[in-house]
Amino acid sequence: KAGVTQTPRYLIKTRGQQVTLSCSPISGHRSVSWYQQTPGQGLQFLFEYFSETQRNKGNFPGRFSGRQFSNSRSEMNVSTLELGDSALYLCASSFRDANYGYTFGSGTRLTVV
Amino acid sequence: GQQVMQIPQYQHVQEGEDFTTYCNSSTTLSNIQWYKQRPGGHPVFLIQLVKSGEVKKQKRLTFQFGEAKKNSSLHITATQTTDVGTYFCAGPRGNNNDMRFGAGTRLTVKP
């Protein structure tokens, strides 16, 4: 079966711009979580969506937002980009919640200049 | 809040040597998961441990969950160059539907 698909793979943006990242989970998986990975902070939880509802949220500023569509596809948006937002953004799909284990996408590498 | 600590941060071994990474939580975990991330790749789910004292094996990999369900270890016997990568443990964050990841142990294997 198809894995988790994230687009785009790479992005370069300028400070102050906004960006939207997309994630298509594994078919049948209804939970989509987003993580930010940086060398300094490791894997940090952003938020989780289930059945189009944000079920859980990490400790990130309001500039980070997301949504989930009826087909379980999810998007995350970062507004007013800062240099520190440069990171690998990973989408993780799971059957119902994280306790079933995550399947990660290949990630979107965001560079803010 | 709940912390998941992982040691060591780095481990360099000669091919054929054994490798172990340890994970400790400040709170009791309902389950612990292990992931492997190859250089330039994304984390890949390896295994989940649920029961106190549980031991699971996958070929040369042995995973243990402590009796108190606060610590876990991953042991690789006779490492190979294909074992190179960063190994992460992850535990549920309280009753929330997300996992808190350890900082990872980066394994390099010298042929």
Side-chain angles (χ1 to χ4, degrees):
Chain A
K1 55 183 179 183
V4 179
T5 304
Q6 287 190 249
T7 56
R9 289 295 307 275
Y10 302 93
L11 266 178
I12 300 176
K13 291 286 187 179
T14 306
R15 272 184 303 174
Q17 287 187 312
Q18 75 164 19
V19 67
T20 299
L21 313 181
S22 179
C23 171
S24 292
I26 288 174
S27 178
H29 283 194
R30 296 168 64 189
S31 170
V32 175
S33 299
W34 289 88
Y35 281 82
Q36 181 195 65
Q37 186 175 33
T38 59
Q41 297 298 315
L43 282 154
Q44 299 284 313
F45 173 74
L46 283 155
F47 28 66
E48 185 235 2
Y49 286 87
F50 182 87
S51 292
E52 303 178 64
T53 301
Q54 186 182 87
R55 192 162 61 174
N56 205 4
K57 190 177 189 304
N59 190 27
F60 277 80
R63 300 185 297 106
F64 292 81
S65 63
R67 59 178 176 170
Q68 187 181 34
F69 302 95
S70 58
N71 61 358
S72 293
R73 189 177 72 86
S74 178
E75 290 181 347
M76 68 163 281
N77 184 78
V78 188
S79 61
T80 320
L81 284 166
E82 301 177 358
L83 295 179
D85 297 333
S86 294
L88 179 66
Y89 289 89
L90 291 159
C91 167
S93 158
S94 56
F95 173 63
R96 196 169 73 187
D97 59 50
N99 293 297
Y100 286 78
Y102 287 138
T103 300
F104 282 90
S106 298
T108 294
R109 172 75 61 184
L110 172 65
T111 302
V112 182
V113 297
Chain B
Q2 181 239 328
Q3 299 276 340
V4 177
M5 309 299 291
Q6 196 173 349
I7 57 169
Q9 190 175 0
Y10 301 96
Q11 187 78 57
H12 310 285
V13 300
Q14 191 79 32
E15 188 172 21
E17 292 181 336
D18 292 357
F19 159 77
T20 305
T21 174
Y22 300 90
C23 186
N24 289 287
S25 169
S26 56
T27 59
T28 301
L29 300 171
S30 61
N31 71 90
I32 194 159
Q33 298 172 15
W34 286 92
Y35 293 80
K36 176 184 179 181
Q37 185 172 20
R38 294 181 186 273
H42 56 275
V44 174
F45 176 81
L46 292 176
I47 208 161
Q48 180 186 49
L49 303 172
V50 178
K51 300 176 183 176
S52 169
E54 189 169 17
V55 178
K56 287 188 175 180
K57 293 190 176 184
Q58 289 180 350
K59 297 183 180 178
R60 295 178 293 104
L61 279 61
T62 301
F63 303 85
Q64 295 188 346
F65 201 9
E67 293 291 338
K69 301 182 75 172
K70 284 187 171 184
N71 60 289
S72 181
S73 65
L74 158 58
H75 179 82
I76 302 178
T77 303
T79 54
Q80 300 175 358
T81 54
T82 53
D83 295 324
V84 164
T86 301
Y87 292 85
F88 295 95
C89 62
R93 185 171 64 99
N95 294 321
N96 297 305
N97 294 309
D98 66 272
M99 302 298 283
R100 181 148 297 186
F101 283 78
T105 296
R106 184 175 173 183
L107 172 66
T108 55
V109 180
K110 186 175 182 181

